């Protein structure tokens, strides 16, 4: 059974400010208002999967912030854990109905023929595009500056699809293939987000047929977007370039396996997996979660000490709010998180601090406009 929680929406009053007290216009703010359609402010249901390990901690952080903002969303919670053989049918049905899901990490057992529930969700809902945004946060020191990379990877095909079998004892065959639609999504994303360049990451010098087909698809799609620069890079050189000169990259489009490696490398460069937002999207549904590897999902020490970093999932929930067409709530949340990081008083251990999850959450709520 789903447990629904509906934040109470409060009426906010606004007192006009005398003109001579008004601040000077900020050139970085929007000058044209967002005009919603009638009824767009109705609260939206979102399927919530807290997941394993630190998942309940960080998803609870999102719930607290959403309630503090009086955001027009409410959650249908389902307890799902990575040791299950299948994602329960009622969870899939909830996501199909709500169209949107927020989830913590689901632990995947190593080997043993147990299928990853994360992969099951992506395949069941055809969430073919994974997006991870790796960027410098103001006030957070990193080795490189001016990093703002979006990694878009194919999510349902290739090595992660689990299409493998044993041909004869000791010989395992894994099927790899790529789809034109991931190239289309990458260029469409770049076009709609005013990005200037798309880089295709490949290994076509060795994987001449599979990765060659991937490049052919990218080249064909690139012709339809003359305003966007397009280039290609071999995956091993890509990794070297990422750690030496990451600012050269903008949007990167990759097959499944390469994208996982590239996204985690880019995340490490820009501040770590604890601050990188991400999501998975298809034609009809979207699932938002921590962008880069949730390798700390089973960290019992973090769970016991209640010191997991909630920033990545908070920023992912800001992405979710934009996806739901609640841009002002997304802006408020993102601004509050960036203020807390910039001030530096409340940071978890992975960011060089000693704060607990709740202390970071309280600081974000205090910084909400």
């Amino acid at each position: 059974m789903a447990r629904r929680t509906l934040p109470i929406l409060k009426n906010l009053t606004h007192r006009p400010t005398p003109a001579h007290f008004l601040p000077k216009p900020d050139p970085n703010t929007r000058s044209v208002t967002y005009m919603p359609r009638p009824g767009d402010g109705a609260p939206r249901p979102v399927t919530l999967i807290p997941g394993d390990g630190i998942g309940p901690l960080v998803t609870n952080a999102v719930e607290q912030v959403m309630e503090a903002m009086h955001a027009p969303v409410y959650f249908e919670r389902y307890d799902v854990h990575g040791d299950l053989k299948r994602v329960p049918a009622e969870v899939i049905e909830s996501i199909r109905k709500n169209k949107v899901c927020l989830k913590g990490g689901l632990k995947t057992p190593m080997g043993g023929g147990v299928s990853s529930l994360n992969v099951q969700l992506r395949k069941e809902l055809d969430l073919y595009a994974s997006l991870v945004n790796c960027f410098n946060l103001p006030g957070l020191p990193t080795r490189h500056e001016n990093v703002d990379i979006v990694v878009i990877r194919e999510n349902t095909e290739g090595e992660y699809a689990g299409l493998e079998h044993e041909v004869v004892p000791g010989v395992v065959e894994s099927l790899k293939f790529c789809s034109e639609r991931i190239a289309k999504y990458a260029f469409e994303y770049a076009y709609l987000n005013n990005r200037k360049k798309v880089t295709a990451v490949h290994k076509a010098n060795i994987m001449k047929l599979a990765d060659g087909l991937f490049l052919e698809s990218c080249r064909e799609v690139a012709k339809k977007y003359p305003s966007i620069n397009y280039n290609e890079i071999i995956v091993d050189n890509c990794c070297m370039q990422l750690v030496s000169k990451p600012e050269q990259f903008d949007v990167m489009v990759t097959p499944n396996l390469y994208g996982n490696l590239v996204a985690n490398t880019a995340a490490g460069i820009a501040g770590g997996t604890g601050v990188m937002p991400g999501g998975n999207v298809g034609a009809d549904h979207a699932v938002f979660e921590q962008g880069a590897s949730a390798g700390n999902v089973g960290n019992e020490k973090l769970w016991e000490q209640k010191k997991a970093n909630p920033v990545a999932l908070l920023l992912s929930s800001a992405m979710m709010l934009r996806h739901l067409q609640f841009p002002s709530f997304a802006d408020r949340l993102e601004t509050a998180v960036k203020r807390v990081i910039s001030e530096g008083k409340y940071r978890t251990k992975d960011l060089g601090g000693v704060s607990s999850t709740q202390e970071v959450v309280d600081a974000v709520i205090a910084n909400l406009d």
Side-chain angles (χ1 to χ4, degrees):
M1 295 293 292
R3 180 167 66 83
R4 293 163 41 130
T5 60
L6 176 61
I8 300 174
L9 301 178
K10 297 181 179 178
N11 293 324
L12 302 179
T13 60
H14 175 68
R15 180 177 299 172
T17 304
H20 59 281
F21 286 125
L22 289 174
K24 293 181 179 179
D26 183 351
N28 295 317
T29 60
R30 294 187 305 275
S31 58
V32 178
T33 188
Y34 166 69
M35 187 175 73
R37 295 165 299 184
D40 275 358
R44 295 282 300 276
V46 174
T47 304
L48 178 67
I49 302 175
D52 296 313
I54 66 168
L57 268 179
V58 293
T59 53
N60 178 256
V62 173
E63 288 183 281
Q64 291 183 59
V65 174
M66 291 292 179
E67 185 168 1
M69 287 198 301
H70 311 296
V73 298
Y74 61 92
F75 294 104
E76 295 181 357
R77 177 194 295 266
Y78 290 88
D79 290 322
V80 180
H81 300 284
D83 56 0
L84 297 177
K85 291 184 178 180
R86 299 286 306 174
V87 179
E90 60 268 25
V91 178
I92 298 294
E93 182 57 33
S94 174
I95 301 174
R96 290 193 191 281
K97 172 177 64 74
N98 297 334
K99 308 295 184 184
V100 176
C101 172
L102 181 73
K103 65 180 283 291
L106 292 171
K107 192 173 182 179
T108 301
M110 299 292 181
V114 179
S115 176
S116 165
L117 297 193
N118 298 299
V119 174
Q120 283 185 31
L121 270 176
R122 296 166 193 164
K123 293 173 68 176
E124 186 74 27
L125 299 168
D126 196 25
L127 305 171
Y128 66 86
S130 166
L131 186 151
V132 180
N133 190 188
C134 304
F135 58 94
N136 292 124
L137 283 165
L140 185 63
T142 59
R143 290 181 180 271
H144 297 276
E145 297 180 353
N146 303 316
V147 177
D148 186 8
I149 302 170
V150 173
V151 181
I152 295 174
R153 70 177 173 114
E154 213 298 319
N155 219 14
T156 57
E157 300 176 355
E159 294 88 347
Y160 271 41
L163 296 174
E164 57 184 10
H165 60 276
E166 189 172 40
V167 182
V168 295
V171 178
V172 175
E173 182 178 58
S174 178
L175 302 182
K176 173 174 178 166
F177 51 98
C178 298
S179 171
E180 182 184 14
R181 61 184 181 173
I182 194 63
K184 290 180 177 178
Y185 182 79
F187 277 92
E188 184 177 55
Y189 172 87
Y191 174 67
L192 293 176
N193 285 276
N194 195 30
R195 294 281 182 157
K196 307 304 182 184
K197 182 170 68 172
V198 173
T199 301
V201 183
H202 67 94
K203 191 66 176 174
N205 58 323
I206 303 299
M207 305 285 189
K208 298 185 182 295
L209 295 179
D211 283 22
L213 178 60
F214 170 69
L215 288 184
E216 286 180 20
S217 297
C218 290
R219 290 166 186 167
E220 285 301 312
V221 175
K223 295 176 183 177
K224 301 176 183 178
Y225 294 88
S227 64
I228 298 174
N229 294 323
Y230 169 69
N231 67 341
E232 301 166 357
I233 189 168
I234 296 174
V235 64
D236 35 359
N237 182 34
C238 173
C239 292
M240 188 272 288
Q241 294 289 334
L242 266 175
V243 299
S244 59
K245 195 178 178 183
E247 62 274 9
Q248 68 183 287
F249 296 108
D250 191 354
V251 175
M252 308 175 77
V253 58
T254 79
N256 205 326
L257 179 60
Y258 309 156
N260 191 33
L261 305 176
V262 168
N264 280 274
T265 302
I269 290 165
T273 60
V275 295
M276 298 302 147
N280 310 279
V281 67
D284 300 311
H285 311 95
V287 174
F288 295 88
E289 59 186 338
Q290 179 172 316
S293 174
N296 57 0
V297 66
N299 192 319
E300 295 297 332
K301 191 173 182 180
L302 280 178
W303 164 251
E304 292 168 1
Q305 295 178 346
K306 303 295 187 285
K307 290 190 174 183
N309 190 347
V311 169
L313 202 64
L314 287 171
L315 292 176
S316 296
S317 66
M319 288 175 57
M320 179 188 75
L321 288 169
R322 288 198 180 94
H323 180 80
L324 291 170
Q325 298 184 24
F326 298 135
S328 65
F329 288 94
D331 291 344
R332 289 174 61 200
L333 174 51
E334 185 175 340
T335 299
V337 170
K338 288 181 176 178
R339 282 177 183 167
V340 172
I341 295 296
S342 180
E343 290 169 359
K345 185 177 179 180
Y346 297 100
R347 293 180 181 175
T348 49
K349 184 177 180 180
D350 58 313
L351 302 184
V354 295
S355 301
S356 68
T357 305
Q358 190 59 51
E359 287 172 332
V360 175
V361 173
D362 291 341
V364 170
I365 291 174
N367 277 276
L368 289 169
D369 287 331

